[in-house]
Amino acid sequence: MANLRTALYDAHVAQHARMVPFAGWDMPVQYASIIEEHKAVRSAVGMFDVSHMARFSFGGTDAAALLEKVFTNSVATMKEMQVRYGLVCNADGGTLDDVIVYRWPYGYAMVANGSNHDKILAWLKQHATGDVQITDETPSTVMLAVQGPKAIDAVAGLFPDDVSKLKYFFALPTRYHDRGCVVSRTGYTGEDGFEITVPNELGVALWDAMLARGVKPCGLGSRDTLRLEAAMPLYGHELTEKIDPLQAGLDWAVKLNKDFIGRDALKSASEAAGHRPKRVGLLLEGKRAARQECVLLADESTPVGVVTSGSFVPWLDQSIAMGYVAPRHAAPGTPLLVDIRGTHVPAAVVPLPFYSRKK
Amino acid sequence: MDLDALRYAPTHEWAKLDGDIVTVGITQFAVEQLTEPTFLDLPKVGKVLKLGEEAGVIESVKSTSGVNAPVAGEVVEVNTKLIDDPATKRKADLSLVNNDPFGEGWMFKVKVAPGTTLDSLLSKADYEKQIAGH
């Protein structure tokens, strides 16, 4: 089956993007240079087509109850226009996806990973009872992430409402070219920025407006290195159905005092936390990169964990990684070895995140 | 560089025969797939490579790939511009691989047995057929 294409496909090709298959879509992995794209987002502003992300909206009087049931974070305590990060877990506490939920005056919305679109939509439908309407907005909309310290300047005056007033993890329904759109102060880069959702027909207009303001097109390659520096988990790497959110260090997004699918398992798990592998950051000596599935060792012959993501990252100019290790090796400063294709490269556990922007 | 004069391994190395010396590098396609190199490990001069053996490693922010020996033989020279020189503190210039993989970005030279040919490797046309559709 042919891959899906976002409404910006031709715009990517016009910018000489290298398109790769990702989560069932043809997506740009880079334009000219992952390293330059990464640096642009840290120092100025870049934009990412994230239309492959799954976007669902919820209406009906039982929508809140459905979300409360499938989401590890609290929905009841969300303010209108607030956006909240959390997990969707199975009954064993394993992570089905990490998502963000939006609360509107008139309902809710969710953004999930593109690779989990079908799984999460099926899960939502399976657990929906009573008056809930779930709409898949993914095929009809473009989502553009405008990220970087100059993101505010890039979007200034674009909408009738002043989005620069938006607080972090808040969103605003507003208008673009007289059509409804959504702007949220969210992102996946560790920088300030916005994620803008517009109808497909306006995707190219928004893209061209950003290009005209000097916003650099950035692909999935730099999106990955940026989120790695910011130590944000990536589904399929730091999070899987075999890894629960507590091991990943996402306790802050798991409210064990409310009822949701997986709570009982996570409650038991939290009591056994001292015995379970835990997510850590690693700083490697030299320039070689650790990759997913590289084994972590306490000494030449004692495996104690595994790498989930790693790269030589452009902004910090260091080889960093994340992985899971036994708790007694998880303290910052602990020396470890990373088996990279048979070579044992010295590394040290370091606090996360590797990078955080100055606020 | 006359690309028609080169032969190609299915694993994206190119090889050029001059007398009994074969120069090895990676193809433009390999560089594009990898994206900008961040690290390169080359074999030591004097190392005897078996055909298809992993002779080096090249990494980008995105992925890691082996550089395999497209011919068997002894390494007689490596491209020192691509590796750090601690003596002079000169840093490796991997942009040469990124910008000119068939020329300045060559990686190492292997001395092969007399009479060795590159006939078992792919022609340019066959290699292009292999990578078509990517």
Side-chain angles (χ1 to χ4, degrees):
Chain A
M1 205 176 72
N3 283 319
L4 299 166
R5 290 179 173 184
T6 80
L8 297 177
Y9 180 89
D10 291 341
H12 298 316
V13 172
Q15 292 292 321
H16 312 290
R18 186 153 72 75
M19 305 301 290
V20 298
F22 183 79
W25 296 77
D26 281 326
M27 297 300 293
V29 65
Q30 66 162 7
Y31 297 83
S33 157
I34 292 176
I35 292 169
E36 292 311 312
E37 290 162 25
H38 183 120
K39 289 178 177 173
V41 171
R42 288 275 178 260
S43 62
V45 55
M47 61 176 162
F48 303 80
D49 179 4
V50 291
S51 306
H52 65 297
M53 302 286 287
R55 292 177 294 289
F56 306 124
S57 62
F58 303 83
T61 52
D62 295 313
L66 168 64
L67 290 166
E68 203 72 88
K69 184 159 63 176
V70 300
F71 190 52
T72 59
N73 211 334
S74 171
V75 175
T77 59
M78 286 176 76
K79 299 187 179 81
E80 284 183 5
M81 316 296 190
Q82 195 173 358
V83 183
R84 196 164 265 180
Y85 176 86
L87 298 304
V88 178
C89 290
N90 61 29
D92 300 328
T95 310
L96 293 173
D97 203 3
D98 63 336
V99 303
I100 56 175
V101 168
Y102 295 63
R103 181 174 178 192
W104 302 129
Y106 43 80
Y108 294 85
M110 176 187 281
V111 176
N113 279 292
S115 55
N116 291 329
H117 174 280
D118 296 357
K119 179 173 81 173
I120 293 301
L121 186 55
W123 186 258
L124 291 166
K125 286 180 174 168
Q126 182 190 333
H127 293 285
T129 50
D131 175 27
V132 187
Q133 295 87 47
I134 305 171
T135 310
D136 183 2
E137 312 276 3
T138 317
S140 59
T141 54
V142 158
M143 192 176 195
L144 192 70
V146 179
Q147 301 279 300
K150 296 191 173 155
I152 285 200
D153 306 328
V155 303
L158 218 55
F159 309 99
D161 299 287
D162 180 5
V163 296
S164 74
K165 299 258 179 6
L166 267 177
K167 284 193 262 177
Y168 191 54
F169 265 71
F170 275 80
L172 191 65
T174 179
R175 300 189 76 73
Y176 185 62
H177 287 280
D178 250 358
R179 299 277 302 273
C181 78
V182 167
V183 180
S184 65
R185 195 86 178 249
T186 51
Y188 192 51
T189 58
E191 295 302 329
D192 186 20
F194 300 89
E195 291 177 304
I196 305 165
T197 306
V198 298
N200 274 342
E201 303 79 57
L202 292 176
V204 170
L206 178 62
W207 174 268
D208 287 345
M210 293 293 96
L211 270 186
R213 291 176 179 206
V215 179
K216 194 176 184 72
C218 299
L220 293 178
S222 56
R223 187 167 157 84
D224 188 40
T225 51
L226 286 158
R227 71 91 200 167
L228 175 61
E229 280 185 345
M232 291 168 164
L234 173 60
Y235 196 83
H237 290 255
E238 286 70 40
L239 293 171
T240 69
E241 291 184 24
K242 302 268 183 263
I243 298 174
D244 70 55
L246 303 179
Q247 290 177 271
L250 302 172
D251 318 47
W252 57 273
V254 178
K255 302 299 175 209
L256 291 172
N257 58 359
K258 67 154 214 174
D259 197 18
F260 61 89
I261 298 168
R263 181 186 65 164
D264 294 346
L266 290 175
K267 219 168 192 170
S268 311
S270 72
E271 285 149 18
H275 304 283
R276 301 180 334 126
K278 183 179 169 191
R279 177 162 68 112
V280 294
L282 297 161
L283 178 61
L284 281 72
E285 283 182 15
K287 299 189 84 169
R288 291 210 68 177
R291 306 291 183 192
Q292 187 169 30
E293 293 182 3
C294 283
V295 172
L296 295 165
L297 304 109
D299 56 54
E300 288 298 331
S301 56
T302 314
V304 292
V306 66
V307 170
T308 49
S309 296
S311 182
F312 186 84
V313 285
W315 188 257
L316 298 176
D317 204 31
Q318 286 171 325
S319 176
I320 61 173
M322 292 192 283
Y324 283 86
V325 294
R328 67 180 183 285
H329 300 286
T334 308
L336 293 173
L337 298 170
V338 191
D339 184 335
I340 302 179
R341 298 161 78 95
T343 303
H344 289 174
V345 176
V349 176
V350 294
L352 295 175
F354 306 98
Y355 168 87
S356 60
R357 70 189 150 104
K358 293 186 185 71
K359 291 185 184 153
Chain B
M1 180 67 70
D2 175 8
L3 301 189
D4 284 309
L6 306 180
R7 303 289 282 195
Y8 303 84
T11 46
H12 311 295
E13 295 82 12
W14 56 263
K16 179 170 179 283
L17 181 65
D18 297 293
D20 59 355
I21 301 294
V22 173
T23 306
V24 179
I26 64 171
T27 66
Q28 180 75 41
F29 177 80
V31 171
E32 285 165 9
Q33 294 295 306
L34 187 72
T35 73
E36 306 114 289
T38 52
F39 172 86
L40 177 67
D41 187 32
L42 290 176
K44 298 268 179 292
V45 170
K47 184 172 167 74
V48 178
L49 296 171
K50 293 196 273 288
L51 176 64
E53 177 182 0
E54 185 171 290
V57 173
I58 187 160
E59 299 188 349
S60 68
V61 294
K62 205 168 127 277
S63 62
T64 300
S65 300
V67 179
N68 301 324
V71 291
E74 182 185 340
V75 177
V76 291
E77 191 181 347
V78 300
N79 188 346
T80 52
K81 288 181 184 165
L82 305 184
I83 45 182
D84 290 342
D85 182 5
T88 63
K89 293 190 177 165
R90 182 187 48 73
K91 292 282 181 198
D93 184 6
L94 296 182
S95 71
L96 298 174
V97 178
N98 198 44
N99 300 332
D100 190 13
F102 294 113
E104 289 275 298
W106 69 273
M107 291 184 175
F108 56 91
K109 295 184 183 185
V110 174
K111 185 172 185 182
V112 294
T116 298
T117 70
L118 300 181
D119 292 349
S120 62
L121 296 172
L122 301 170
S123 66
K124 178 164 172 277
D126 287 340
Y127 178 67
E128 282 172 352
K129 225 175 280 171
Q130 185 200 311
I131 62 177
H134 280 271

